Amino acid sequence: MKTSGTLKIARNGYIVMAVIFCALGIFLMANPEGAMKTICVLAGALFIADGIIKIIGYFSRDFYCLAFQFDLGFGILMIAMGVLILVRREAIFKLVFVVFGLLILADALLRIQMSVEAKKFGLNLWWAILIVAVVTGVFGMLLLIDPAGGARLTVIFTGIAFLLEGILKLCVVIYTVKLRNDGNVVYEEKFTEVGH
């Protein structure tokens, strides 16, 4: 498969994953009690799918290596955690929100680093990625410390974190790479070479 074709799959996959994260986040916020019964299955499957897309993105070799630069290792981690959640969902249920928090916080921190590097390249909207990543990271941290101290509010916090994760994914892929109508790869913003 050509690099442009792989990148198109990765970009579209990122968008689909972003929409699913947002939808799952809204579902968790709207129905926290009902979501408790299915959250492990839904999240496990979602993490596996997201990990696969991340690995495809890493091997797509986008020109500036910003959007997918951390996605090989993190994609493998997402798949491993997704499998663990599905296979050991009863044993891990009490810790599942901690797992969510760790993964969301880790992704947010990587995107914060990516936004700083995007600024160096001259990407005009680097600050939008930075802001969304910071807010997403805050909610990832909230899942770790569980300030609500209750299952219902924790599920709502998880829903907000998933929604923000979806928005972050959209910001990353839309602000860094897009495809022309002919399917060829172009870039949303014009970059300038640092130091010249």
Side-chain angles (χ1 to χ4, degrees):
M1 184 177 292
K2 295 181 179 179
T3 300
S4 60
T6 307
L7 185 56
K8 184 176 181 179
I9 291 172
R11 181 183 184 275
N12 291 341
Y14 249 68
I15 293 173
V16 170
M17 286 295 103
V19 171
I20 294 174
F21 264 95
C22 289
L24 181 56
I26 293 171
F27 170 69
L28 293 176
M29 288 186 286
N31 187 25
E33 290 86 359
M36 290 293 292
K37 300 177 181 179
T38 58
I39 190 169
C40 285
V41 175
L42 293 175
L46 180 59
F47 287 170
I48 292 171
D50 192 40
I52 292 170
I53 294 299
K54 284 180 180 296
I55 293 172
I56 293 173
Y58 177 82
F59 286 108
S60 69
R61 300 295 185 188
D62 64 301
F63 188 77
Y64 292 103
C65 298
L66 285 173
F68 312 118
Q69 62 180 319
F70 306 113
D71 281 1
L72 177 59
F74 200 69
I76 294 171
L77 176 62
M78 292 287 285
I79 292 172
M81 295 309 299
V83 171
L84 178 64
I85 291 170
L86 289 176
V87 173
R88 301 282 294 172
R89 58 181 177 271
E90 292 182 4
I92 204 174
F93 183 76
K94 293 182 179 180
L95 297 174
V96 72
F97 298 107
V98 174
V99 173
F100 294 164
L102 282 172
L103 291 177
I104 290 171
L105 177 60
D107 192 48
L109 292 175
L110 292 175
R111 297 311 176 184
I112 289 172
Q113 180 179 340
M114 190 208 79
S115 69
V116 173
E117 294 176 2
K119 180 184 179 182
K120 295 177 182 177
F121 272 107
L123 182 61
N124 293 332
L125 291 172
W126 64 270
W127 55 268
I129 298 172
L130 176 62
I131 291 172
V132 178
V134 169
V135 176
T136 303
V138 167
F139 275 90
M141 181 64 72
L142 286 176
L143 290 180
L144 293 177
I145 62 177
D146 190 19
R152 185 177 186 278
L153 285 177
T154 303
V155 173
I156 292 174
F157 279 146
T158 303
I160 296 171
F162 274 43
L163 177 60
L164 289 169
E165 177 71 13
I167 294 171
L168 179 59
K169 288 180 181 297
L170 282 176
C171 288
V172 168
V173 74
I174 290 173
Y175 291 158
T176 57
V177 180
K178 75 173 184 178
L179 301 171
R180 291 201 306 249
N181 291 333
D182 61 6
N184 292 324
V185 179
V186 295
Y187 296 87
E188 184 71 39
E189 303 288 344
K190 183 177 180 180
F191 288 78
T192 56
E193 187 175 355
V194 178
H196 294 276

